[in-house]
Amino acid sequence: MLKVHNFSAGPCILPRQVFEKSAESILDFKESGLSIIEISHRSKDFVEVMDKARSLVKEILNVPDTHDVLFLQGGASLGFLISAYNLMGVNKTGGYLVTGSWAKKAAKEASFMGNSIIVGSSEDKNFNYIPKGYSISNNLDYFHVTSNNTIFGTQIKSFYQGTTPLACDMSSDIFSRKIDVSNFDLIYAGAQKNMGPAGTTLYIFNKKILGNSSVPIPTMLDLKTHFEKDSMFNTPPVFAVYASMLTLNWLKNNGGLDFIEKQNEKKANLLYNQIDNSSLFKGTANLEDRSTMNVTFTLENDDLNETFNNMLADAKINGLKGHRSVGGYRASMYNALSLESVELLVNVMNELEIKKG
Ligand SMILES: *Cc1c(COP(=O)(O)O)cnc(C)c1O
């Protein structure tokens, strides 16, 4: 089979064994003669999958008993709205750290049911840094941040620690590094960046937020609805949950966050070193805020783009085109991308350097 090195931003690369096991279970799930996508979501076999997926999240992230975990639908984009609905308190005000286009979209959704305050923004420099030194006024019901800015290649290295409830869109770096879940009232993440196929969205929340919103919440957007039904209020996205469970199992069996965090740092250092020591490439993100997941860079001389693109294609490196709002290149290096794939990319960049640098 053709081996392609997938640096795509999402949907993303998953472990080979997840694809194999998923393919097998599409045809015959647990030797039942039935497909994983045709069995009842209320069957014992599927309930086991859902329970296993939820418990793996708890185990890998060390989720405290105060918190619970759900697998819902709608993507992180619906999470913008769900987070605002569930966290609106007496002030009907959410604060937002606007570090990219996703954060901006999240801030917009809050304005549908309350006030959405921009606490800090890096839009002045096309989101190439993480604002710091902002102050949180005490009339905020919650403070919302985006841990990793998939498009602009920046990442929050240390999270807000104050008393205002913290909400986080962790779509593109969840399970990539250790986090202290107890610090967050709500975390949500679309599966397709680092956990599984598109179609399910992970929610991790402090149970104390349930039923405490100051605004009426439509049934499907109320986390309490899904919590009370163990993530089975309506038909869950069975295949996406199943494949996510397989990925989480792979992560657990491969050293968990201790291992993957080191591995992701290794991959990122390798690529950033190549960029920093290059005469042709230039990183676009502020040094101290650079993401380990999405590395954004440009070729200073546009005339070299075609040569570089052809070299990438020859090396079977896929998905390196930057987002249209930044241009240039973006290497997304999610958990399942191997160190060897990054080494290959670095070699290709080096070759260009030798030819043209
Ligand atoms: C991809 C992404 C989203 C959007 O996710 P959907 O599941 O497509 O709605 C939101 N936030 C971040 C940080 C992302 O990377």
Side-chain angles (χ1 to χ4, degrees), residues 74-78 80 102 146 148-150 169 171-172 190 192-193 201:
S77 298
L78 191 66
F80 303 155
W102 297 119
T146 310
N148 184 68
N149 302 291
T150 328
D169 171 2
S171 294
S172 55
Q192 74 275 16
K193 301 285 166 54
T201 313

Side-chain angles (χ1 to χ4, degrees), residues 49-117:
V49 169
M50 177 62 92
D51 289 348
K52 177 87 182 164
R54 294 171 80 197
S55 72
L56 279 166
V57 172
K58 291 178 185 173
E59 193 181 337
I60 293 169
L61 287 176
N62 210 357
V63 174
D65 289 342
T66 45
H67 287 56
D68 209 346
V69 170
L70 298 170
F71 282 88
L72 307 181
Q73 305 192 47
S77 298
L78 191 66
F80 303 155
L81 188 59
I82 289 182
S83 52
Y85 262 124
N86 285 268
L87 291 167
M88 276 297 170
V90 286
N91 299 309
K92 289 202 169 56
T93 304
Y96 284 79
L97 193 63
V98 178
T99 50
S101 354
W102 297 119
K104 209 169 160 178
K105 286 179 177 165
K108 178 181 172 218
E109 294 307 294
S111 65
F112 284 104
M113 83 265 334
N115 304 312
S116 178
I117 307 278

